[in-house]
């Protein structure tokens, strides 16, 4: 069984994704992280994708699907998908791939209000090395896992890009979430709780599928 994690930017998909993957032995496909790896390269495609991401827009579907299919083909076990599908067009391609490769999916939707998401996104920092995300309440400027590594703010966590990303989420991703819910393969979790409580709620939903 593969898991798809849905949720507004800042809902905690990255944090919960790590915990879920560890509990059930899943490989994580984090779409944003895979794209950030790609834009580090020095070529015209990387430059184009970098501009799209910094403005907060969605990267073209064909490119994203190529990266995903490649990831699935090179993975032995079950996968946790974070950040895909984000539009009706992507859902169509994604469902095709899942069917063609004979995989089963289950969705978890971490719900959060837009105000809470903006508050979290504008104040979060992350480690450029291990990618751990730190909330506003974390005091140090260094990562607690990677000695002497200073935390950074993501270049697309500026209010202007955040607004574009949340707008895209409302217009493009919410219809996909509704469709998965109507198909009976998605369960909602309240994201405005402690990290531990959100994890507990998710485990309660997923444990029966993995035992
Ligand atoms: P995230 O780390 O999930 O917030 O994603 C960061 C950025 O990566 C987004 O604002 C998009 O530019 C790009 N991105 C992530 N997932 C997708 C996707 N499924 N389709 C297209 N672009 C994406």
């Amino acid at each position: 069984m593969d898991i798809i994690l849905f949720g507004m930017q800042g809902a905690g998909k990255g944090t919960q994704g790590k915990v879920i993957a560890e509990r059930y032995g899943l490989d994580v496909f984090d779409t944003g992280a895979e794209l950030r790896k790609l834009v580090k390269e020095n070529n015209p495609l990387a430059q184009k994708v970098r501009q799209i991401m910094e403005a907060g827009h969605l990267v073209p579907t064909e490119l994203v699907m190529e990266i995903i299919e490649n990831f699935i083909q090179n993975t032995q076990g079950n996968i946790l998908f974070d950040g895909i599908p984000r539009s009706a067009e992507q859902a169509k391609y994604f469902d095709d791939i899942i069917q063609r490769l004979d995989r089963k999916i289950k969705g978890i939707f971490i719900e959060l209000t837009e105000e809470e998401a903006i508050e979290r996104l504008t104040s979060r920092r992350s480690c450029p090395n291990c990618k751990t995300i730190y909330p506003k309440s974390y005091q140090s400027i260094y990562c607690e896992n990677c000695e002497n590594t200073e935390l950074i703010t993501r270049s697309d966590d500026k209010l202007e890009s955040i607004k574009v990303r949340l707008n895209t989420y409302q217009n493009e991703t919410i219809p996909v979430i509704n469709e998965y819910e109507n198909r009976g393969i998605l369960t909602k979790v309240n994201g405005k709780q402690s990290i531990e409580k959100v994890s507990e709620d998710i485990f309660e939903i997923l444990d029966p599928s993995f035992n």
Side-chain angles (χ1 to χ4, degrees):
M1 169 87 72
D2 292 331
I3 303 300
I4 309 180
L5 260 191
F6 288 104
M8 199 178 272
Q9 287 79 359
K13 295 192 299 298
T15 306
Q16 296 299 336
K18 269 192 194 170
V19 183
I20 300 168
E22 205 165 295
R23 185 173 177 97
Y24 305 114
L26 312 174
D27 279 315
V28 178
F29 180 86
D30 176 343
T31 318
E34 292 296 324
L35 289 166
R36 278 188 289 280
K37 261 188 231 163
L38 178 112
V39 302
K40 281 204 186 120
E41 289 168 25
N42 193 9
N43 58 49
L45 175 68
Q47 202 179 343
K48 186 178 153 207
V49 174
R50 194 179 311 127
Q51 279 171 359
I52 296 173
M53 290 179 73
E54 284 187 354
H57 295 294
L58 289 182
V59 172
T61 296
E62 296 80 53
L63 175 67
V64 176
M65 292 301 152
E66 201 179 308
I67 300 174
I68 289 192
E69 185 148 3
N70 189 35
F71 184 92
I72 299 178
Q73 303 279 18
N74 287 299
T75 303
Q76 303 294 329
N78 293 317
I79 301 174
L80 180 133
F81 294 101
D82 172 350
I84 187 81
R86 288 197 177 180
S87 65
E89 186 195 28
Q90 290 191 358
K92 188 181 157 296
Y93 278 87
F94 184 76
D95 287 344
D96 279 355
I97 296 178
I98 292 295
Q99 250 186 0
R100 187 156 40 83
L101 301 179
D102 199 22
R103 304 183 75 95
K104 301 245 168 320
I105 49 170
K106 190 176 176 74
I108 296 286
F109 174 27
I110 308 175
E111 282 191 294
L112 199 69
T113 63
E114 194 161 310
E115 290 83 24
E116 181 71 19
I118 291 177
E119 165 64 21
R120 288 187 188 181
L121 291 171
T122 50
S123 59
R124 74 180 180 183
R125 289 166 301 156
S126 64
C127 171
N129 185 35
C130 72
K131 315 293 178 207
T132 299
I133 295 168
Y134 291 91
K136 193 178 183 179
S137 55
Y138 183 75
Q139 300 284 333
S140 171
I141 60 165
Y142 296 107
C143 176
E144 62 183 5
N145 309 317
C146 311
E147 212 179 325
N148 293 330
T149 307
E150 279 196 37
L151 302 180
I152 54 163
T153 300
R154 261 171 52 174
S155 58
D156 58 352
D157 276 346
K158 306 184 288 272
L159 192 57
E160 206 179 299
S161 319
I162 289 171
K163 286 197 168 148
V164 176
R165 284 156 69 203
L166 293 180
N167 196 29
T168 306
Y169 173 82
Q170 292 295 353
N171 296 332
E172 310 240 10
T173 314
I174 288 286
V176 176
I177 293 173
N178 291 339
E179 197 215 308
Y180 276 64
E181 193 180 11
N182 291 339
R183 278 161 55 186
I185 54 168
L186 180 125
T187 311
K188 292 179 180 175
V189 168
N190 174 10
K192 201 173 184 259
Q193 309 182 88
S194 69
I195 293 176
E196 293 75 20
K197 182 69 178 74
V198 175
S199 304
E200 258 176 49
D201 288 358
I202 296 176
F203 295 161
E204 211 171 290
I205 297 162
L206 294 181
D207 274 357
S209 302
F210 286 97
N211 285 330

